[in-house]
Amino acid sequence: MIALAGILAAATWSPGPNNAMLASSGATFGMRRTLPHVWGVGVGFGVMLFLVSLGLGEIFVRVPVLKEVLRYAGAALLLWVAWRIANSGRTARQDANRKPFTLLQAAGFQWINPKAWAMCAGVVAQFITGRDVVVEASIAAAVSMGVGLASAHAWAGSGALLQNWLSRGARLQLFNVAMAGLIVFGVLYLLTSEL
């Protein structure tokens, strides 16, 4: 349990697409409006890990082209999200038409997030023995939800704490460009690390 929690903590607290998007959303919309996004990330990844642990990942072993399609589609979507974040230089107070991710959008995003797939593959390979797959998958999902929700709250909260400071001048634009840069770096790292 300690090793599982440690690995999940390192993965969920480190910069990546979810965390950059959460910090940007917190800074743009505030913590209260970002909470559905927070819960979508935490719960969405837990559900994904549970299903992959039960054998969904086996489909990608049998049909590797599906994994590659998902990998590049996810990378393209992440680059589009990075572009949108980099070009969002106003707070939600200044632009009433903008909306944060919903719980379902954030949960669905996990399925195309290359970092989420890498985390699932690592956890399943190390901690799912097959002796009692439902129990093992449930434990892995519960631990990931707990650790993931703590991380998601912290990243969104850090963005929200900066909201007033970022609302002056070009600070929010620079912050969002930095968050977009983290996403682009993460995409490039994930795409090149599997070569």
Side-chain angles (χ1 to χ4, degrees):
M1 286 294 268
I2 293 170
L4 175 62
I7 287 170
L8 287 168
T12 59
W13 284 83
S14 63
N18 277 322
N19 294 338
M21 290 167 53
L22 286 162
S24 179
S25 183
T28 304
F29 301 107
M31 190 63 185
R32 186 180 60 77
R33 290 187 63 200
T34 301
L35 282 176
H37 188 170
V38 166
W39 281 85
V41 169
V43 173
F45 179 74
V47 169
M48 178 183 175
L49 179 58
F50 178 77
L51 294 174
V52 170
S53 296
L54 290 180
L56 188 60
E58 185 66 27
I59 293 171
F60 294 113
V61 171
R62 294 176 191 249
V63 187
V65 71
L66 288 177
K67 180 182 178 191
E68 289 302 304
V69 168
L70 184 66
R71 181 175 173 221
Y72 286 103
L77 181 65
L78 284 171
L79 292 174
W80 177 79
V81 167
W83 179 81
R84 293 284 311 260
I85 288 173
N87 289 293
S88 62
R90 297 182 294 179
T91 66
R93 291 180 225 157
Q94 296 167 317
D95 186 356
N97 294 328
R98 298 182 54 219
K99 294 180 176 26
F101 267 27
T102 66
L103 186 137
L104 290 177
Q105 288 170 330
F109 177 75
Q110 303 318 299
W111 291 90
I112 57 163
N113 181 352
K115 183 179 176 186
W117 278 104
M119 288 169 54
C120 278
V123 169
V124 168
Q126 295 298 316
F127 296 100
I128 306 301
T129 66
R131 286 186 219 123
D132 194 344
V133 177
V134 174
V135 170
E136 291 174 332
S138 298
I139 291 169
V143 171
S144 78
M145 284 184 200
V147 172
L149 284 169
S151 168
H153 275 92
W155 277 88
S158 67
L161 286 173
L162 295 172
Q163 189 177 38
N164 285 333
W165 185 77
L166 292 171
S167 67
R168 294 182 199 96
R171 293 175 184 167
L172 181 61
Q173 179 68 42
L174 291 172
F175 178 79
N176 284 338
V177 167
M179 293 301 102
L182 279 175
I183 293 172
V184 170
F185 176 77
V187 167
L188 294 176
Y189 175 78
L190 289 169
L191 288 177
T192 57
S193 66
E194 292 185 26
L195 296 177

